[in-house]
């Protein structure tokens, strides 16, 4: 495993995420007006996309990504009769940018605020990359009463740090060295690690869109979230999940290698299903959007 690329940037979007909220509205069913903001426990205002009607699907984005990456799935699932909700994480996109709150429990409580204030029940919870740790921690911290099923896309769970009881993971000093690289030259680090995140044929317009999205997140926020991903130990939380779970990951994922993340997570979650996309990188919503939507629909219909 190339440790330099482990925990690499998470980017979603191409044909899947290129759809705008306006495009989604053209296919969404008529609905009552809904608030586009949710208030967290510490009064942070969180921007939330909320499109369509029917059983809800809640999308949690990757590190330094905002809800715009979910445009394609929102359009596709609205057309199939699902309500799609997608928040911008604090410090990202159109949400407030407080100086604190980038620890796992606060971020998880933000997810709970979205679920409760949007009055969501029977939810399909979809966590992509960093969103996977928020989703798994939500179930451990807030319970599964409102959640019907869980989908983890290119997850960073269950635990990335090498320890005596996690010997095949990433040494702590390698993680800290990567954090130092990002702190020293964030744009340069993104450029150096971009290639394996996408497929070779991913359009430059998609790559540029994701670079801009990521660079719009202030460095202190990006580093705070990166540390949260790196040191979150969710082994016990994953083992306690009692909802049907689908895990989707590429076998060429350089950011969160399959054997370190998705494969281990699948072993911990009883009855979970692991779909491996051959030759696929970390940016599945961008590079394999159609297949991902098909897998989501099949899983939710099962």
């Amino acid at each position: 495993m190339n440790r330099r690329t482990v925990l690499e940037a998470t980017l979603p979007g191409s044909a899947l995420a290129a759809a705008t909220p306006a495009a989604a509205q053209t296919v969404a069913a008529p609905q009552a007006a809904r608030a586009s903001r949710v208030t967290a426990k510490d009064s942070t205002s969180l921007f939330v996309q909320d499109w369509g009607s029917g059983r809800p699907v809640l999308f949690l984005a990757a590190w330094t990504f905002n809800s715009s990456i979910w445009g394609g799935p929102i359009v596709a699932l609205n057309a199939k009769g699902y309500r799609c909700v997608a928040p911008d994480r604090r410090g990202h996109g159109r949400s407030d940018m407080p100086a604190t709150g980038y620890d796992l429990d606060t971020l998880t409580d933000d997810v709970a605020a979205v679920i409760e204030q949007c009055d969501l029940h029977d939810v399909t919870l979809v966590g992509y990359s960093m969103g996977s740790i928020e989703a798994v921690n939500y179930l451990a911290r807030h319970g599964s009463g409102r959640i019907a099923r869980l989908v983890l896309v290119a997850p960073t769970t269950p635990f990335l740090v090498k320890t005596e009881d996690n010997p095949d993971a990433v040494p702590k000093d390698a993680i800290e060295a990567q954090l130092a690289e990002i702190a020293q030259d964030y744009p340069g680090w993104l450029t150096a690690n971009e290639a394996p995140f996408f497929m070779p044929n991913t359009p430059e317009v998609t790559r540029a869109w994701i670079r801009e999205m990521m660079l719009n997140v202030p460095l202190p926020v990006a580093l705070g979230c990166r540390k949260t991903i790196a040191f979150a130990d969710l082994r016990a939380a994953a083992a306690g999940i009692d909802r049907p779970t689908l895990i989707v990951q590429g076998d060429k994922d350089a950011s969160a290698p399959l054997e370190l993340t998705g494969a281990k997570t699948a072993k911990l979650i009883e009855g979970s299903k692991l779909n491996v996309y051959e030759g696929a990188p970390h940016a599945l919503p961008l590079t394999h959007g159609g297949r991902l939507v098909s897998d989501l629909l099949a899983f939710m219909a099962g």
Side-chain angles (χ1 to χ4, degrees):
M1 168 176 33
N2 182 346
R3 289 192 177 113
R4 180 175 178 181
T5 57
V6 170
L7 299 175
E8 182 182 274
T10 335
L11 319 104
S14 115
L16 174 67
T20 64
Q25 191 173 17
T26 64
V27 298
Q31 62 186 53
R34 296 178 186 145
S36 62
R37 315 292 300 191
V38 160
T39 303
K41 282 184 177 179
D42 62 357
S43 299
T44 297
S45 178
L46 305 172
F47 175 82
V48 180
Q49 294 196 54
D50 189 347
W51 300 97
S53 58
R55 285 187 293 160
V57 182
L58 177 62
F59 292 100
L60 305 178
W63 177 68
T64 64
F65 293 168
N66 62 53
S67 63
S68 297
I69 66 154
W70 296 115
I74 287 172
V75 170
L77 296 185
N78 280 173
K80 296 294 184 178
Y82 289 93
R83 176 184 177 186
C84 296
V85 179
D88 285 354
R89 185 178 289 115
R90 65 172 57 211
H92 296 64
R94 290 141 287 191
S95 289
D96 283 356
M97 194 175 298
T100 59
Y102 302 100
D103 60 284
L104 180 55
D105 284 347
T106 301
L107 293 169
T108 301
D109 289 347
D110 289 352
V111 173
V114 172
I115 290 173
E116 291 161 13
Q117 293 175 41
C118 292
D119 194 27
L120 304 181
H121 299 269
D122 194 28
V123 179
T124 297
L125 180 57
V126 181
Y128 168 42
S129 192
M130 181 177 179
S132 68
I133 67 170
E134 295 164 324
V136 170
N137 196 52
Y138 172 86
L139 289 166
R141 186 170 172 83
H142 294 277
S144 57
R146 291 175 178 259
I147 308 301
R149 58 193 63 81
L150 174 67
V151 180
L152 303 177
V153 180
T156 56
T157 53
F159 186 36
L160 297 171
V161 182
K162 182 177 181 179
T163 58
E164 287 187 4
D165 62 350
N166 197 36
D168 54 347
V170 185
K172 184 179 178 181
D173 59 356
I175 292 173
E176 291 177 340
Q178 187 185 77
L179 291 169
E181 284 185 54
I182 295 170
Q184 183 175 8
D185 185 3
Y186 182 31
W189 183 86
L190 290 181
T191 300
N193 289 279
E194 176 183 304
F197 185 82
F198 296 104
M199 296 293 286
N201 63 351
T202 302
E204 171 56 26
V205 65
T206 299
R207 298 167 184 262
W209 174 52
I210 296 303
R211 286 194 297 268
E212 181 180 8
M213 184 184 296
M214 298 178 76
L215 290 171
N216 278 335
V217 177
L219 185 56
V221 174
L223 285 171
C225 290
R226 194 75 175 187
K227 291 175 184 176
T228 294
I229 298 170
F231 297 106
D233 184 351
L234 290 162
R235 291 175 291 181
I241 289 174
D242 62 354
R243 290 293 182 262
T245 301
L246 172 66
I247 301 167
V248 178
Q249 191 159 19
D251 63 2
K252 299 300 182 183
D253 190 332
S255 304
L258 174 64
E259 67 277 7
L260 176 62
T261 55
K264 284 187 174 183
T265 302
K267 290 179 181 179
L268 287 170
I269 302 176
E270 185 176 355
S272 63
K273 180 180 181 182
L274 174 62
N275 284 3
V276 177
Y277 291 10
E278 184 177 356
H282 194 63
L284 293 183
L286 300 170
T287 61
H288 293 70
R291 183 174 176 182
L292 177 59
V293 167
S294 293
D295 282 351
L296 281 172
L297 289 169
F299 179 60
M300 291 188 293

